[in-house]
Amino acid sequence: AQKITQTQPGMFVQEKEAVTLDCTYDTSDPSYGLFWYKQPSSGEMIFLIYQGSYDQQNATEGRYSLNFQKARKSANLVISASQLGDSAMYFCAMRAPSRLSFGAGTTVTVRA
Amino acid sequence: ETGVTQTPRHLVMGMTNKKSLKCEQHLGHNAMYWYKQSAKKPLELMFVYNFKEQTENNSVPSRFSPECPNSSHLFLHLHTLQPEDSALYLCASSLSPDRGDYGYTFGSGTRLTVV
């Protein structure tokens, strides 16, 4: 069975600073994908970044980077230079192989 | 717009009503999904459709009835719901249900309130 754990229910970050959102996972499948989604108050789930289990390098997408530590089974999201528009709920998810399972989410509030 | 459109965005219904949620995608995806997001709970996968065929039903009560007439459209028919069914219902699609490197594209959801 797959399990995704996000231990930070809520975080505050100052505008222009970086923030790290924690995610650990557990799966017995050797091949899996790790995803981060952003959910603003409007409800839509917005894809941010993807990391494959066999990828050698950490994924980056603009201000988002994924700190992938396979041996520790962690896939932390780093948001650099936070903006007010980054205030939202962030979900870590894993696909292994056919279903996408989500963690409980972390609420990020960016302060001006 | 993400490419996955859900209607209506908001729905209030009585426990004896019958209503339907609609999801539409024109991304060329072959798999479609219904998720339920309740307050303070992780997203729960309800149903999976692959090439119009239901491949997964995660012990969802029969008062929720999905329908997938083609790979682009997915419905969730609702009848005799309970107040605890109030939630955000999210539809998603993906190119393939079996490829781990493909994420899902989500719609904006239908916020359902059962009174």
Side-chain angles (χ1 to χ4, degrees), chain A residues 37 39 44 95 99-100, chain B residues 2 35 37 56 58 96 102:
Chain A
Y37 285 85
Q39 187 180 40
E44 181 184 346
R95 190 168 182 185
R99 67 155 57 188
L100 190 65
Chain B
T2 66
Y35 279 85
Q37 186 178 21
E56 195 163 339
N58 287 299
S96 164
Y102 284 109

Side-chain angles (χ1 to χ4, degrees), chain B residues 4-103:
Chain B
V4 177
T5 304
Q6 287 188 246
T7 54
R9 291 295 307 273
H10 301 272
L11 177 64
V12 179
M13 61 185 288
M15 289 189 284
T16 59
N17 291 159
K18 289 185 180 181
K19 296 286 184 183
S20 296
L21 310 185
K22 180 181 177 181
C23 176
E24 185 174 353
Q25 60 91 7
H26 296 288
L27 300 169
H29 289 173
N30 300 308
M32 297 188 77
Y33 313 83
W34 279 117
Y35 279 85
K36 176 183 179 182
Q37 186 178 21
S38 304
K40 300 181 180 180
K41 291 178 72 175
L43 276 77
E44 302 169 60
L45 180 63
M46 300 174 71
F47 301 103
V48 179
Y49 277 83
N50 185 24
F51 290 99
K52 304 189 301 179
E53 300 298 319
Q54 186 181 122
T55 56
E56 195 163 339
N57 175 344
N58 287 299
S59 304
V60 180
S62 59
R63 58 185 182 269
F64 295 91
S65 175
E67 178 190 1
C68 190
N70 53 62
S71 292
S72 298
H73 294 86
L74 184 65
F75 295 89
L76 188 62
H77 304 300
L78 316 170
H79 63 98
T80 59
L81 295 191
Q82 305 298 312
E84 59 264 30
D85 296 323
S86 298
L88 180 68
Y89 288 85
L90 289 160
C91 173
S93 69
S94 70
L95 185 62
S96 164
D98 301 320
R99 288 284 301 272
D101 53 343
Y102 284 109

Side-chain angles (χ1 to χ4, degrees), chain A residues 75-88:
Chain A
N76 297 341
L77 176 71
V78 180
I79 306 174
S80 62
S82 296
Q83 302 172 355
L84 295 178
D86 294 334
S87 294

